[in-house]
Amino acid sequence: MIARRLSDIPVKVEGDASKTGSTTGTVGGGLIAILREITEMLERLARYDESAAIDLRSLPFSPSDYQSLRESLGTGEVEITLNVDGISRVRETGFAGVWWVEHRSPDDELLAVLLEITNIPEIVVTNRDEVARSANRLRDRLSIHTAGGNIQ
Amino acid sequence: MELLEFARGPALKVALVVFCFGVLWRLVGTVLLRFHPHLSVPRNGFFKSFMLGLAVAGSRSWPYRRFIVRTGYGEALGYSYHIGLFLVILFFAPHVLFIKSLFGVSWATLPSSIVTIIAVVTFTLLLAVLFRRLAYSVLRKLSNFDDYFSWFVTTLVIVTGLMATAHFGARYETLMAWHILSFDLLLIWFPFGKLMHAFYIFPSRMINGYFLARKGAPS
Amino acid sequence: MTTAKRLETIEDVLTANGVSRRTFLKFCISTASFMALAPSMSTVIAKELLKARRPSVIYLSFQECTGCLESLTRSYTPSVENMIFNMVSLDYDDTLMAAAGKQSEEALDTVIKENYGHYMMVVDGAVPLGNGGVYNTQGGKSAVQILTDSAKGAAAIVCVGTCSSFGGIPLAHPNPTGAVPVSDIITDKPIINVSGCPPIPAVITSTLVHYVTLGVPALDAHHRPLAFFGNTIHDRCYRRPFFDEGKFAKTFDDEGARNGWCLYELGCKGPTTYNACATTKWNEGTSFPIESGHPCLGCSEPNFWDRNGSFYAPLAAGLISSVAPIGEAAGAGAAAGVGTAALSRLRNRAKVRQRATEKQTSKEE
């Protein structure tokens, strides 16, 4: 479907992910800055229950920087895949309260990559109004059923 | 019309017209001037004098050994920034494209990053040159508007060029327009100020050497 | 398309259309990220959008090719970009609407009357002023007439495409119809220019979303949203490293072209073109012109058709059509030089002669 991707074309990538990859390796200045920001956000979440988010695409990061950040944060216990107009992936990192959230279009195009510092990303949470609406819907179906209709 | 269009079009055209007219006027006018008549018998033939003239053009362009401690710094400064200017003008890809668009000839270019470094060094040297002119009282007393203005237009082209490369201070097309306009200004000033030395310096040394050789003066 | 029985808020429409809250939230997150807004703004956008009254939109088409509307409606991620049609009430668009002729003219009048002072106008295409505006008429009214009449009650005008923003191809030399951009005619309303030939679909929709939720976005000197027109193509181009290294394609079929080197020498207008192509890309995010091996034409810039001499002339080239005047100047300079030298010689000879006569007279005395 797609004839060419960026990866097919020679591109100069500064730094090599395979060389700087591990967490024991040297950590770049940009990476330290963002880890510090995450720490502060986590403290605020713990103290005031204040959620925050970082748009990873707004940062001047190279692919190897993303890799390093990802490896510094590690993987946690929760991984949620949402089927919302394309796939969205919500992964807990090794640090509780830090979520790596990726939103993709139905064509698998990356729409947004966020680090959410929150108890649970809002997109996962079920909305109260929607709960009410589904209760209504179910009640409607039941009434149809009792009137002799099919529940499915 | 946008500023950039104006700089690349009409302004450039006027500047080139003035430049070509001025340079040829001064060159032809100088070459055809009457030389002082030679009253003595020539000590050397035409060919030998000519070659000696060429040699003088070369040797006089090098610091005189006895004065090298005193003049070395100034000469080194002068030569360095001239070399810098030449490298930047002749080997920056967009400049070569510019030349190609006018004359149809082109050649290999240097990486932009290297040219940028050279340009920064050249700019620093130009500042040092100005400082030297202001700091030495003799040099200062020798200097007139021409010296300062020629320095100014040269430096202006470098500064605007660097700003355009760094995208510093304004939008790229505006910076680019300033850069080309400052070059247009340089072209217009060129034939009428001391920048004309680019054409005069070596021929005049050579002709001096030639006449001295005709007279049999050791060179 | 009908003005009767309209769902009032965006939330009503989304619920009625079965758009889930998560889909909507995801749309807001993507839009915020796309517009380089802080992530927290996605919540604000979501909140504002839900409670916002769906703005009535009038889409006017003048001297245009419908490429912009194609770009908007045929985007490959329909669910995201077409969500905009849930968020606005597109009350008049002569290309999309079912009504025609007199009915459509009436529809326009009704929309204007009912939403006076509140509706948003989207304009596609330049407006011809030549010969009293006869070159573009709809229902017996000239484009300029329709534009001025409709603009009176508009809250804001979004110019979609380079034609309405800057005049585009209709305005290109020799401009036989006297075409002008919308901003030349309407001066008393906020105008947002979303230029491009055509503009990137997501840029159009995000601009509309920003207007509905947060008002007129930050604009550049050409009234374009800074979020998309803040950087040049060149700054964000993946071939930029080759420019910096001085590696250029010299023809369309040389080693450099095959290796994907910089297209500057082939006339790329990337350095003076502000748009989001290099980051957002086209066709499902597949590529953009430079990635397909063609230099940027600079289509989102004013006067792009004429301003650079040729699409294939490098930006650094001088815009001089003929070098003849320069040669003539050189000739004239040489002639002037001969004249000056001759004058100097004459004066010299006169001086010598004068000196000789002086000597003669002093001897005689």
Side-chain angles (χ1 to χ4, degrees):
Chain A
M1 175 182 66
I2 291 159
R4 280 210 306 195
R5 278 272 167 197
L6 194 58
S7 54
D8 299 339
I9 290 160
V11 186
K12 191 176 145 194
V13 176
E14 287 177 26
D16 187 355
S18 61
K19 283 178 197 152
T20 55
S22 89
T23 40
T24 52
T26 49
V27 179
L31 192 55
I32 289 188
I34 193 158
L35 289 175
R36 224 169 249 157
E37 200 181 343
I38 295 168
T39 315
E40 263 170 44
M41 286 173 166
L42 273 176
E43 281 165 1
R44 292 172 81 94
L45 179 65
R47 205 169 300 163
Y48 310 111
D49 202 27
E50 220 177 80
S51 299
I54 298 168
D55 187 345
L56 285 181
R57 287 206 303 185
S58 69
L59 303 171
F61 266 26
S62 70
S64 66
D65 287 337
Y66 280 115
Q67 192 67 24
S68 318
L69 176 63
R70 219 171 177 151
E71 281 169 18
S72 318
L73 292 172
T75 35
E77 298 160 331
V78 187
E79 184 168 340
I80 306 168
T81 306
L82 295 96
N83 238 316
V84 183
D85 190 35
I87 300 290
S88 289
R89 275 193 199 88
V90 176
R91 298 191 190 96
E92 193 190 32
T93 67
F95 298 88
V98 182
W99 302 80
W100 188 290
V101 185
E102 271 180 23
H103 296 288
R104 288 176 182 275
S105 74
D107 307 307
D108 214 34
E109 189 191 338
L110 200 59
L111 296 173
V113 194
L114 305 164
L115 268 183
E116 292 199 33
I117 289 83
T118 180
N119 299 319
I120 181 120
E122 211 194 330
I123 195 149
V124 180
V125 182
T126 311
N127 179 263
R128 290 228 153 251
D129 293 348
E130 282 191 320
V131 174
R133 268 200 293 276
S134 46
N136 284 338
R137 263 170 53 213
L138 201 54
R139 192 180 304 119
D140 288 351
R141 289 217 179 157
L142 280 170
S143 60
I144 293 167
H145 178 63
T146 43
N150 191 338
I151 202 161
Q152 283 169 339
Chain B
M1 185 180 285
E2 289 163 50
L3 194 61
L4 179 57
E5 263 181 283
F6 172 72
R8 288 171 66 194
L12 178 65
K13 196 164 181 172
V14 167
L16 281 170
V17 162
V18 172
F19 173 81
C20 286
F21 176 87
V23 164
L24 272 142
W25 172 49
R26 287 198 67 184
L27 276 184
V28 173
T30 313
V31 167
L32 294 183
L33 275 181
R34 184 177 151 276
F35 289 109
H36 264 294
H38 265 267
L39 300 177
S40 65
V41 182
R43 304 301 199 277
N44 288 309
F46 172 78
F47 183 72
K48 195 176 176 193
S49 306
F50 186 83
M51 295 315 284
L52 283 168
L54 280 182
V56 166
S59 66
R60 291 296 183 275
S61 305
W62 202 245
Y64 190 52
R65 199 178 300 148
R66 203 179 291 172
F67 300 144
I68 199 159
V69 181
R70 258 168 45 198
T71 64
Y73 170 68
E75 302 227 1
L77 213 55
Y79 270 101
S80 320
Y81 87 75
H82 274 90
I83 291 168
L85 283 177
F86 279 117
L87 289 176
V88 172
I89 293 166
L90 295 179
F91 294 103
F92 184 46
H95 295 163
V96 173
L97 286 174
F98 173 78
I99 293 164
K100 191 181 171 190
S101 79
L102 289 179
F103 306 109
V105 288
S106 64
W107 47 83
T109 56
L110 283 173
S112 310
S113 47
I114 292 177
V115 175
T116 308
I117 294 167
I118 296 172
V120 170
V121 170
T122 307
F123 171 62
T124 320
L125 289 171
L126 276 165
L127 287 182
V129 163
L130 179 68
F131 176 76
R132 188 167 168 270
R133 187 176 288 280
L134 291 170
Y136 287 73
S137 58
V138 176
L139 213 49
R140 195 171 61 234
K141 280 173 184 146
L142 279 172
S143 306
N144 57 12
F145 170 78
D146 191 347
D147 290 285
Y148 293 113
F149 193 68
S150 299
W151 177 91
F152 171 73
V153 288
T154 312
T155 314
L156 192 65
V157 178
I158 287 232
V159 170
T160 51
L162 278 171
M163 283 167 78
T165 339
H167 292 208
F168 174 77
R171 289 163 80 96
Y172 178 77
E173 57 268 35
T174 313
L175 294 171
M176 179 94 161
W178 290 353
H179 180 55
I180 296 175
L181 280 175
S182 59
F183 175 65
D184 294 343
L185 178 66
L186 183 142
L187 280 180
I188 291 172
W189 174 245
F190 194 107
F192 310 108
K194 290 196 178 180
L195 290 175
M196 194 59 195
H197 77 272
F199 288 103
Y200 279 152
I201 185 160
F202 293 111
S204 61
R205 278 179 190 168
M206 196 240 128
I207 287 169
N208 253 340
Y210 167 80
F211 281 125
L212 288 171
R214 290 284 275 186
K215 288 174 183 168
S219 56
Chain C
M1 278 310 144
T2 113
T3 48
K5 220 175 54 181
R6 194 195 302 140
L7 293 157
E8 275 304 300
T9 67
I10 290 169
E11 189 171 20
D12 295 341
V13 181
L14 294 178
T15 318
N17 289 352
V19 177
S20 79
R21 186 197 60 97
R22 290 198 182 99
T23 308
F24 175 69
L25 195 58
K26 184 165 170 174
F27 170 77
C28 295
I29 292 169
S30 324
T31 306
S33 173
F34 187 55
M35 294 204 76
L37 300 169
S40 55
M41 288 312 282
S42 63
T43 333
V44 177
I45 292 179
K47 220 194 277 171
E48 292 292 324
L49 262 185
L50 283 180
K51 69 171 191 226
R53 201 173 161 274
R54 290 170 77 218
S56 179
V57 171
I58 296 175
Y59 195 112
L60 297 177
S61 308
F62 299 127
Q63 286 179 299
E64 48 91 33
C65 66
T66 315
C68 297
L69 191 61
E70 287 281 339
S71 174
L72 181 62
T73 54
R74 305 227 168 169
S75 53
Y76 283 87
T77 48
S79 34
V80 175
E81 262 112 43
N82 280 5
M83 195 177 259
I84 195 71
F85 290 110
N86 289 323
M87 294 177 185
V88 299
S89 168
L90 190 57
D91 290 330
Y92 180 87
D93 184 324
D94 55 10
T95 315
L96 295 180
M97 69 202 299
K102 203 157 187 190
Q103 285 174 311
S104 75
E105 306 311 317
E106 280 168 12
L108 181 58
D109 291 343
T110 320
V111 177
I112 292 176
K113 216 173 287 169
E114 283 184 0
N115 302 282
Y116 200 83
H118 301 293
Y119 59 87
M120 191 193 333
M121 241 168 86
V122 178
V123 184
D124 182 2
V127 184
L129 295 182
N131 283 338
V134 295
Y135 297 110
N136 186 322
T137 60
Q138 291 159 33
K141 279 169 93 182
S142 68
V144 56
Q145 188 71 44
I146 297 170
L147 178 69
T148 26
D149 287 353
S150 314
K152 274 179 201 145
I157 300 173
V158 177
C159 292
V160 166
T162 302
C163 295
S164 53
S165 301
F166 309 128
I169 293 168
L171 181 138
H173 182 78
N175 191 0
T177 64
V180 295
V182 169
S183 53
D184 275 19
I185 298 168
I186 309 297
T187 47
D188 56 347
K189 297 281 173 186
I191 291 183
I192 307 169
N193 289 329
V194 183
S195 61
C197 194
I200 300 168
V203 171
I204 307 177
T205 54
S206 302
T207 304
L208 295 177
V209 167
H210 195 289
Y211 176 73
V212 172
T213 54
L214 306 166
V216 176
L219 303 175
D220 74 355
H222 294 306
H223 288 262
R224 300 177 294 192
L226 266 176
F228 309 114
F229 298 94
N231 288 298
T232 63
I233 302 289
H234 186 59
D235 284 338
R236 295 301 168 96
C237 183
Y238 76 102
R239 294 194 188 203
R240 178 65 183 267
F242 296 115
F243 174 86
D244 292 333
E245 278 172 45
K247 288 182 174 166
F248 299 97
K250 314 261 178 196
T251 71
F252 282 106
D253 195 31
D254 67 354
E255 191 207 351
R258 277 191 283 270
N259 287 341
W261 289 353
C262 178
L263 299 168
Y264 189 92
E265 297 201 4
L266 288 170
C268 186
K269 304 298 179 288
T272 53
T273 305
Y274 292 78
N275 208 339
C277 304
T279 40
T280 306
K281 306 197 179 176
W282 291 81
N283 303 324
E284 298 174 79
T286 307
S287 65
F288 67 113
I290 291 170
E291 212 171 339
S292 310
H294 194 279
C296 169
L297 303 181
C299 75
S300 57
E301 294 300 312
N303 230 347
F304 83 102
W305 200 265
D306 294 321
R307 74 171 183 161
N308 292 304
S310 156
F311 287 151
Y312 301 100
L315 266 178
L319 288 178
I320 295 172
S321 45
S322 115
V323 287
I326 295 160
E328 283 160 21
V338 172
T340 317
L343 210 69
S344 149
R345 284 184 173 219
L346 279 176
R347 226 189 299 159
N348 203 292
R349 196 172 300 161
K351 219 184 271 172
V352 170
R353 204 170 294 153
Q354 193 186 352
R355 222 175 281 152
T357 36
E358 273 168 14
K359 258 185 205 160
Q360 199 80 35
T361 41
S362 63
K363 239 184 222 170
E364 277 168 13
E365 277 166 12

